[in-house]
Amino acid sequence: MGAAGLRLGLGGLTSALLAAVLTVVTGPSAAQPRDSILPADHALDPSVPTPASLLGYQVGDWHVHPDQLMMVMKALADASPKATLEEIGRTHERRPQVTLAISDPKNLAQLETLRQRHLAGDEDGPLVLWFGYSIHGNEASGSNAAMLFAYLLLASQSPEMDRWLQDTVVFIDPVLNPDGLGRFSSWVNSHRSTSMAVPERSNREHQEAWPGGRFNHYWFDLNRDWLPLVHPESRARVAFQQRWRPHVVTDFHEMGSDQTYFFQPGVLSRRHPMTPQRNVDLTAGLARFHASALDALGQGYYSEEGFDDFYYGKGSTYPDAQGTIGILFEQASARGHLMATRRGELSFRTAIRNQFTTSISTLRGSVALADELKDYQRGFDDVTLDLARRDEHAAYVVGDDRDPQRALGLLGTLLRHQIRVYELAAPIEIDGESFEPGHAWVVPVQQPKYRLLKSLFEKRTEFADNTFYDVSAWHLPLAYDLPWAPLKRLGKLQGEPFEPPVLDNVSELRPAVAYAIPWHQQGAPATLNALLQAEIPVVAATREFSAQIADGERRFERGTLVVYPPADQALTPLLKPGVEIVPLTTGLTPSGPDLGSPSLLPLKAVRPLLLVGRGVDPQAAGDAWHLLDTRVGLPPVMVETHQLRELALHRYTHLMMVDGDYDRLDEDLIQRLRQWVQRGGVLIASQRAAVWATKNQLHLAPDNGAETAPEAAADESKDDEKEPPAPQAYGDYRRRFADSVIGGTVVNTDVDLTHPLAYGLQRPHLPLLRRGTAFLKVSDNPYQTPYRYSEKPLLSGFLGPERESQMAGSAAVIASTVGAGKVVRMADNPNFRGFWLGGNRLYLNALFFAQLIQATPLADTETRH
């Protein structure tokens, strides 16, 4: 798609008109001097507009806004036959995601042909290079450098540049997180002094308001979403990379202001085992070009410390599993326009200069190493398939758990990564788990994406290095809580690779006495919410029952919803695609409670509050917001902690407190929350919020207020009697500390399936992603801990032996009845990064079914621990 056909969401304004508008705002653009960041030895084509002439200021004097950045990219594409601009997607806030293709005009004229030849293994064509900038919106030097990089490639009249563009197709994604960049640029520009920059760190310019610009619209870290593909930004760019399969991918970031500059290969002992050594060698070969370029500037740098290439869900690591060289760059951040650091003052212009410089060095180095890069990718698939042939498993099988929507979610993720999937051809049983055709799929390991799929299915618990920059496990079937198993033999595959059906239609319901909605379905909570918001009565079964249906009898589990629709109101418009609704012919059941039984309890509509703001982890808050808004249709009211004091809490049924520091809440506010719970409110507190709720005894009924909270139970008077610790070598600290960190590990929980917080689960175990060291003691009341960590909790990832011992048998979830209300405490974030769909069900049960939990007072004969 050419620039002329691009829809940029800029109100239909032309580049010239936009430039005129911006000139009025920012000042005249005439007679802008040559940008000092640009190399002096390149003659420049005057017909290509400079970024400064379009913006009205030199790049780096102000932070570019996404709309300005789009305008610059479109103007460059319009001005040069060497560029085309393509919109590849839209963000949550409907901002365009674009890619600027730059190459010799002869290459651009046959771009699609070159792509097809490249994917077919013909490496006689040009190198394919992809440059991505500022996936963290407040790491803005990358996006600002992208304008100068694109300009130089198009305006340079250097014979060397002409040769480079003949030999390469360069794709520039100028801002990987437009929504975050927009938030950040607005902040720093609106707090910039105009007479001179203020470098003090305490200056408001450098102190972003919560949640900051790092994250996307829903406060997700997009540089962790390359594998889960939860967000449209990630799906669009992964689709583009899969369509082109670049030889080199770059990922430009910023780090702490007191640092210098980092480029990979990174910590060698911490790369993923599926990444070939040749990848590391080529990365090191390119590193020599970065070093030379930065040496010429007198810029300090490092390349083998701090950052690793283990988690395949990051922008610089995702390519490594697919025959592409991924490179991470980290520039010390000015976090505004000028920052005082321990190395002296760091300007935004300097940060941009360094990112621009390593963009050029990547291009230069890639052209110099073109033959090696092409040879590496040409042979990568054959080497990968040979590796797959030696795998102990031939395939993996995944079942739908009687929930096709959840299974299709997992399969859709695999297919977006171009991992082939087939329908199961014949029934099989593995370790007591049955897999049936029509309800299960096979993922063969013998395919080019073997390395990627292996990382999504393997349960790895041993590592060469126990330090991780991010999570140590990301097992996809465990995240979706779907039955799965490795297969020793592949057997016969059924037909062509699987193509998922589109679930967008709702069938008209047959007339019935009532309708049952099995709760184990992913779409059931959204359906329930729609019904309750429409004030249609819904009851939930707290006991199993059988019911008569048109063609016989059917068994229903705890948590099944039963709907008696009013005669004058149709249900069909409220139903969600893919959700099974079962017509029932009579309220008299063959077994179990009848449909009018007291065991089927009425449900009330949910009106949730989500506590956000200072001290709250934006990502955990974003996980909850995204879940309720996009998957349930129930956007929470989001309030900051200081608003709680004046808020009419009685208007809300639930208060969600995610991971964060809540110690600033004073006793008067805590007492107000306590009274709200006792009057019927439901508090859902996770991770450090759960520890905080325990410390402040919010889970205790008024008559138990004198009991000691678990965190205060230790007898500190014995501290003086403890033996002093044995001396340890200072140099061993980092390694020993790493053993105590839980940075992202899959652990198992034992579940009481009779408890309302477990309704809909199909097995008495639920895998959760454990991150952080918030621990909860099992409740004194034996009925209040429906989820406990297994005695051997580790499923996949790294967990130090002391932490594993501490976790074994401890509480994962505690549900306490306090007066008329409930307090649900969770040691983990069950909504981790939006793709832990198994944990979503736990959280939604707390939201919709906490009202079903009955008080369980202990009789005098029952033992308290």
PDB file of all heavy atoms in Angstrom, residues 551-572:
ATOM      1  N   ASP A 551     -33.978 -34.016  24.040  1.00  0.00           N
ATOM      2  CA  ASP A 551     -33.669 -35.376  23.598  1.00  0.00           C
ATOM      3  C   ASP A 551     -33.164 -36.266  24.723  1.00  0.00           C
ATOM      4  O   ASP A 551     -32.393 -37.185  24.494  1.00  0.00           O
ATOM      5  CB  ASP A 551     -32.646 -35.348  22.457  1.00  0.00           C
ATOM      6  CG  ASP A 551     -31.390 -34.572  22.830  1.00  0.00           C
ATOM      7  OD1 ASP A 551     -31.355 -34.008  23.947  1.00  0.00           O
ATOM      8  OD2 ASP A 551     -30.450 -34.533  22.020  1.00  0.00           O
ATOM      9  N   GLY A 552     -33.588 -35.963  25.962  1.00  0.00           N
ATOM     10  CA  GLY A 552     -33.199 -36.856  27.050  1.00  0.00           C
ATOM     11  C   GLY A 552     -32.872 -36.123  28.334  1.00  0.00           C
ATOM     12  O   GLY A 552     -33.576 -35.201  28.749  1.00  0.00           O
ATOM     13  N   GLU A 553     -31.768 -36.530  28.920  1.00  0.00           N
ATOM     14  CA  GLU A 553     -31.374 -36.011  30.233  1.00  0.00           C
ATOM     15  C   GLU A 553     -29.917 -35.567  30.167  1.00  0.00           C
ATOM     16  O   GLU A 553     -29.108 -36.168  29.455  1.00  0.00           O
ATOM     17  CB  GLU A 553     -31.541 -37.123  31.278  1.00  0.00           C
ATOM     18  CG  GLU A 553     -31.198 -36.731  32.691  1.00  0.00           C
ATOM     19  CD  GLU A 553     -31.392 -37.903  33.650  1.00  0.00           C
ATOM     20  OE1 GLU A 553     -32.368 -38.670  33.485  1.00  0.00           O
ATOM     21  OE2 GLU A 553     -30.546 -38.060  34.564  1.00  0.00           O
ATOM     22  N   ARG A 554     -29.585 -34.531  30.912  1.00  0.00           N
ATOM     23  CA  ARG A 554     -28.209 -34.026  30.892  1.00  0.00           C
ATOM     24  C   ARG A 554     -27.786 -33.631  32.298  1.00  0.00           C
ATOM     25  O   ARG A 554     -28.564 -33.081  33.066  1.00  0.00           O
ATOM     26  CB  ARG A 554     -28.079 -32.829  29.955  1.00  0.00           C
ATOM     27  CG  ARG A 554     -26.683 -32.211  29.944  1.00  0.00           C
ATOM     28  CD  ARG A 554     -26.464 -31.337  28.753  1.00  0.00           C
ATOM     29  NE  ARG A 554     -25.250 -30.551  28.885  1.00  0.00           N
ATOM     30  CZ  ARG A 554     -24.769 -29.749  27.961  1.00  0.00           C
ATOM     31  NH1 ARG A 554     -25.404 -29.642  26.787  1.00  0.00           N
ATOM     32  NH2 ARG A 554     -23.667 -29.056  28.165  1.00  0.00           N
ATOM     33  N   ARG A 555     -26.514 -33.885  32.586  1.00  0.00           N
ATOM     34  CA  ARG A 555     -25.948 -33.569  33.890  1.00  0.00           C
ATOM     35  C   ARG A 555     -25.327 -32.172  33.868  1.00  0.00           C
ATOM     36  O   ARG A 555     -24.675 -31.790  32.889  1.00  0.00           O
ATOM     37  CB  ARG A 555     -24.863 -34.596  34.236  1.00  0.00           C
ATOM     38  CG  ARG A 555     -24.351 -34.520  35.662  1.00  0.00           C
ATOM     39  CD  ARG A 555     -25.326 -35.149  36.615  1.00  0.00           C
ATOM     40  NE  ARG A 555     -24.812 -35.147  37.998  1.00  0.00           N
ATOM     41  CZ  ARG A 555     -25.585 -35.379  39.041  1.00  0.00           C
ATOM     42  NH1 ARG A 555     -26.879 -35.649  38.855  1.00  0.00           N
ATOM     43  NH2 ARG A 555     -25.090 -35.380  40.254  1.00  0.00           N
ATOM     44  N   PHE A 556     -25.519 -31.414  34.939  1.00  0.00           N
ATOM     45  CA  PHE A 556     -24.968 -30.065  35.046  1.00  0.00           C
ATOM     46  C   PHE A 556     -24.160 -29.934  36.334  1.00  0.00           C
ATOM     47  O   PHE A 556     -24.538 -30.476  37.382  1.00  0.00           O
ATOM     48  CB  PHE A 556     -26.078 -29.014  35.003  1.00  0.00           C
ATOM     49  CG  PHE A 556     -26.786 -28.934  33.691  1.00  0.00           C
ATOM     50  CD1 PHE A 556     -27.964 -29.644  33.477  1.00  0.00           C
ATOM     51  CD2 PHE A 556     -26.269 -28.182  32.649  1.00  0.00           C
ATOM     52  CE1 PHE A 556     -28.618 -29.592  32.256  1.00  0.00           C
ATOM     53  CE2 PHE A 556     -26.904 -28.117  31.424  1.00  0.00           C
ATOM     54  CZ  PHE A 556     -28.088 -28.821  31.224  1.00  0.00           C
ATOM     55  N   GLU A 557     -23.061 -29.199  36.241  1.00  0.00           N
ATOM     56  CA  GLU A 557     -22.136 -29.061  37.364  1.00  0.00           C
ATOM     57  C   GLU A 557     -22.476 -27.856  38.237  1.00  0.00           C
ATOM     58  O   GLU A 557     -23.292 -27.008  37.875  1.00  0.00           O
ATOM     59  CB  GLU A 557     -20.708 -28.905  36.821  1.00  0.00           C
ATOM     60  CG  GLU A 557     -20.239 -30.057  35.971  1.00  0.00           C
ATOM     61  CD  GLU A 557     -18.951 -29.740  35.221  1.00  0.00           C
ATOM     62  OE1 GLU A 557     -18.600 -28.544  35.131  1.00  0.00           O
ATOM     63  OE2 GLU A 557     -18.305 -30.678  34.727  1.00  0.00           O
ATOM     64  N   ARG A 558     -21.804 -27.785  39.370  1.00  0.00           N
ATOM     65  CA  ARG A 558     -21.912 -26.593  40.206  1.00  0.00           C
ATOM     66  C   ARG A 558     -21.518 -25.356  39.403  1.00  0.00           C
ATOM     67  O   ARG A 558     -20.593 -25.393  38.594  1.00  0.00           O
ATOM     68  CB  ARG A 558     -20.990 -26.704  41.424  1.00  0.00           C
ATOM     69  CG  ARG A 558     -21.424 -27.720  42.462  1.00  0.00           C
ATOM     70  CD  ARG A 558     -20.435 -27.701  43.634  1.00  0.00           C
ATOM     71  NE  ARG A 558     -20.877 -28.541  44.722  1.00  0.00           N
ATOM     72  CZ  ARG A 558     -20.581 -29.829  44.842  1.00  0.00           C
ATOM     73  NH1 ARG A 558     -19.831 -30.417  43.923  1.00  0.00           N
ATOM     74  NH2 ARG A 558     -21.026 -30.528  45.877  1.00  0.00           N
ATOM     75  N   GLY A 559     -22.187 -24.271  39.670  1.00  0.00           N
ATOM     76  CA  GLY A 559     -21.905 -23.033  38.960  1.00  0.00           C
ATOM     77  C   GLY A 559     -22.750 -22.837  37.719  1.00  0.00           C
ATOM     78  O   GLY A 559     -22.753 -21.738  37.143  1.00  0.00           O
ATOM     79  N   THR A 560     -23.482 -23.864  37.276  1.00  0.00           N
ATOM     80  CA  THR A 560     -24.349 -23.712  36.111  1.00  0.00           C
ATOM     81  C   THR A 560     -25.358 -22.598  36.362  1.00  0.00           C
ATOM     82  O   THR A 560     -25.967 -22.509  37.426  1.00  0.00           O
ATOM     83  CB  THR A 560     -25.081 -25.031  35.812  1.00  0.00           C
ATOM     84  OG1 THR A 560     -24.115 -26.039  35.497  1.00  0.00           O
ATOM     85  CG2 THR A 560     -26.041 -24.873  34.646  1.00  0.00           C
ATOM     86  N   LEU A 561     -25.512 -21.733  35.372  1.00  0.00           N
ATOM     87  CA  LEU A 561     -26.488 -20.657  35.454  1.00  0.00           C
ATOM     88  C   LEU A 561     -27.829 -21.154  34.929  1.00  0.00           C
ATOM     89  O   LEU A 561     -27.884 -21.862  33.916  1.00  0.00           O
ATOM     90  CB  LEU A 561     -26.031 -19.454  34.623  1.00  0.00           C
ATOM     91  CG  LEU A 561     -24.620 -18.927  34.885  1.00  0.00           C
ATOM     92  CD1 LEU A 561     -24.286 -17.804  33.906  1.00  0.00           C
ATOM     93  CD2 LEU A 561     -24.466 -18.454  36.321  1.00  0.00           C
ATOM     94  N   VAL A 562     -28.889 -20.785  35.597  1.00  0.00           N
ATOM     95  CA  VAL A 562     -30.237 -21.113  35.134  1.00  0.00           C
ATOM     96  C   VAL A 562     -30.999 -19.805  34.987  1.00  0.00           C
ATOM     97  O   VAL A 562     -31.041 -18.988  35.914  1.00  0.00           O
ATOM     98  CB  VAL A 562     -30.961 -22.065  36.096  1.00  0.00           C
ATOM     99  CG1 VAL A 562     -32.382 -22.327  35.605  1.00  0.00           C
ATOM    100  CG2 VAL A 562     -30.194 -23.379  36.220  1.00  0.00           C
ATOM    101  N   VAL A 563     -31.575 -19.623  33.813  1.00  0.00           N
ATOM    102  CA  VAL A 563     -32.228 -18.368  33.468  1.00  0.00           C
ATOM    103  C   VAL A 563     -33.705 -18.631  33.200  1.00  0.00           C
ATOM    104  O   VAL A 563     -34.053 -19.501  32.391  1.00  0.00           O
ATOM    105  CB  VAL A 563     -31.582 -17.736  32.218  1.00  0.00           C
ATOM    106  CG1 VAL A 563     -32.164 -16.354  31.950  1.00  0.00           C
ATOM    107  CG2 VAL A 563     -30.070 -17.669  32.366  1.00  0.00           C
ATOM    108  N   TYR A 564     -34.563 -17.869  33.895  1.00  0.00           N
ATOM    109  CA  TYR A 564     -35.987 -17.858  33.608  1.00  0.00           C
ATOM    110  C   TYR A 564     -36.303 -16.526  32.930  1.00  0.00           C
ATOM    111  O   TYR A 564     -36.515 -15.514  33.604  1.00  0.00           O
ATOM    112  CB  TYR A 564     -36.818 -17.989  34.892  1.00  0.00           C
ATOM    113  CG  TYR A 564     -36.883 -19.386  35.461  1.00  0.00           C
ATOM    114  CD1 TYR A 564     -35.997 -19.803  36.451  1.00  0.00           C
ATOM    115  CD2 TYR A 564     -37.851 -20.282  35.010  1.00  0.00           C
ATOM    116  CE1 TYR A 564     -36.070 -21.076  36.979  1.00  0.00           C
ATOM    117  CE2 TYR A 564     -37.929 -21.562  35.528  1.00  0.00           C
ATOM    118  CZ  TYR A 564     -37.032 -21.951  36.516  1.00  0.00           C
ATOM    119  OH  TYR A 564     -37.109 -23.217  37.031  1.00  0.00           O
ATOM    120  N   PRO A 565     -36.302 -16.489  31.608  1.00  0.00           N
ATOM    121  CA  PRO A 565     -36.486 -15.190  30.943  1.00  0.00           C
ATOM    122  C   PRO A 565     -37.917 -14.696  31.076  1.00  0.00           C
ATOM    123  O   PRO A 565     -38.860 -15.480  30.999  1.00  0.00           O
ATOM    124  CB  PRO A 565     -36.154 -15.505  29.490  1.00  0.00           C
ATOM    125  CG  PRO A 565     -36.485 -16.954  29.341  1.00  0.00           C
ATOM    126  CD  PRO A 565     -36.159 -17.594  30.660  1.00  0.00           C
ATOM    127  N   PRO A 566     -38.096 -13.398  31.288  1.00  0.00           N
ATOM    128  CA  PRO A 566     -39.457 -12.833  31.260  1.00  0.00           C
ATOM    129  C   PRO A 566     -40.098 -13.091  29.903  1.00  0.00           C
ATOM    130  O   PRO A 566     -39.428 -13.108  28.867  1.00  0.00           O
ATOM    131  CB  PRO A 566     -39.221 -11.339  31.498  1.00  0.00           C
ATOM    132  CG  PRO A 566     -37.870 -11.256  32.154  1.00  0.00           C
ATOM    133  CD  PRO A 566     -37.083 -12.397  31.592  1.00  0.00           C
ATOM    134  N   ALA A 567     -41.414 -13.285  29.919  1.00  0.00           N
ATOM    135  CA  ALA A 567     -42.115 -13.642  28.684  1.00  0.00           C
ATOM    136  C   ALA A 567     -41.991 -12.568  27.619  1.00  0.00           C
ATOM    137  O   ALA A 567     -42.012 -12.862  26.419  1.00  0.00           O
ATOM    138  CB  ALA A 567     -43.587 -13.915  28.987  1.00  0.00           C
ATOM    139  N   ASP A 568     -41.826 -11.322  28.059  1.00  0.00           N
ATOM    140  CA  ASP A 568     -41.802 -10.231  27.089  1.00  0.00           C
ATOM    141  C   ASP A 568     -40.390  -9.789  26.712  1.00  0.00           C
ATOM    142  O   ASP A 568     -40.200  -8.754  26.094  1.00  0.00           O
ATOM    143  CB  ASP A 568     -42.571  -9.022  27.641  1.00  0.00           C
ATOM    144  CG  ASP A 568     -41.961  -8.511  28.946  1.00  0.00           C
ATOM    145  OD1 ASP A 568     -41.135  -9.238  29.536  1.00  0.00           O
ATOM    146  OD2 ASP A 568     -42.314  -7.390  29.361  1.00  0.00           O
ATOM    147  N   GLN A 569     -39.383 -10.563  27.103  1.00  0.00           N
ATOM    148  CA  GLN A 569     -38.007 -10.151  26.819  1.00  0.00           C
ATOM    149  C   GLN A 569     -37.242 -11.298  26.160  1.00  0.00           C
ATOM    150  O   GLN A 569     -37.163 -12.401  26.702  1.00  0.00           O
ATOM    151  CB  GLN A 569     -37.294  -9.711  28.096  1.00  0.00           C
ATOM    152  CG  GLN A 569     -35.947  -9.059  27.825  1.00  0.00           C
ATOM    153  CD  GLN A 569     -35.442  -8.293  29.029  1.00  0.00           C
ATOM    154  OE1 GLN A 569     -36.044  -8.330  30.087  1.00  0.00           O
ATOM    155  NE2 GLN A 569     -34.331  -7.601  28.862  1.00  0.00           N
ATOM    156  N   ALA A 570     -36.657 -11.022  24.993  1.00  0.00           N
ATOM    157  CA  ALA A 570     -35.905 -12.045  24.264  1.00  0.00           C
ATOM    158  C   ALA A 570     -34.489 -12.147  24.813  1.00  0.00           C
ATOM    159  O   ALA A 570     -33.838 -11.138  25.099  1.00  0.00           O
ATOM    160  CB  ALA A 570     -35.874 -11.707  22.786  1.00  0.00           C
ATOM    161  N   LEU A 571     -33.997 -13.361  24.952  1.00  0.00           N
ATOM    162  CA  LEU A 571     -32.635 -13.577  25.444  1.00  0.00           C
ATOM    163  C   LEU A 571     -31.590 -13.445  24.339  1.00  0.00           C
ATOM    164  O   LEU A 571     -30.458 -13.040  24.595  1.00  0.00           O
ATOM    165  CB  LEU A 571     -32.509 -14.972  26.061  1.00  0.00           C
ATOM    166  CG  LEU A 571     -33.083 -15.205  27.444  1.00  0.00           C
ATOM    167  CD1 LEU A 571     -32.783 -16.626  27.874  1.00  0.00           C
ATOM    168  CD2 LEU A 571     -32.505 -14.220  28.433  1.00  0.00           C
ATOM    169  N   THR A 572     -31.966 -13.793  23.124  1.00  0.00           N
ATOM    170  CA  THR A 572     -30.980 -13.916  22.049  1.00  0.00           C
ATOM    171  C   THR A 572     -30.089 -12.689  21.885  1.00  0.00           C
ATOM    172  O   THR A 572     -28.865 -12.833  21.731  1.00  0.00           O
ATOM    173  CB  THR A 572     -31.686 -14.256  20.717  1.00  0.00           C
ATOM    174  OG1 THR A 572     -32.446 -15.459  20.885  1.00  0.00           O
ATOM    175  CG2 THR A 572     -30.678 -14.448  19.609  1.00  0.00           C
TER     176      THR A 572
END
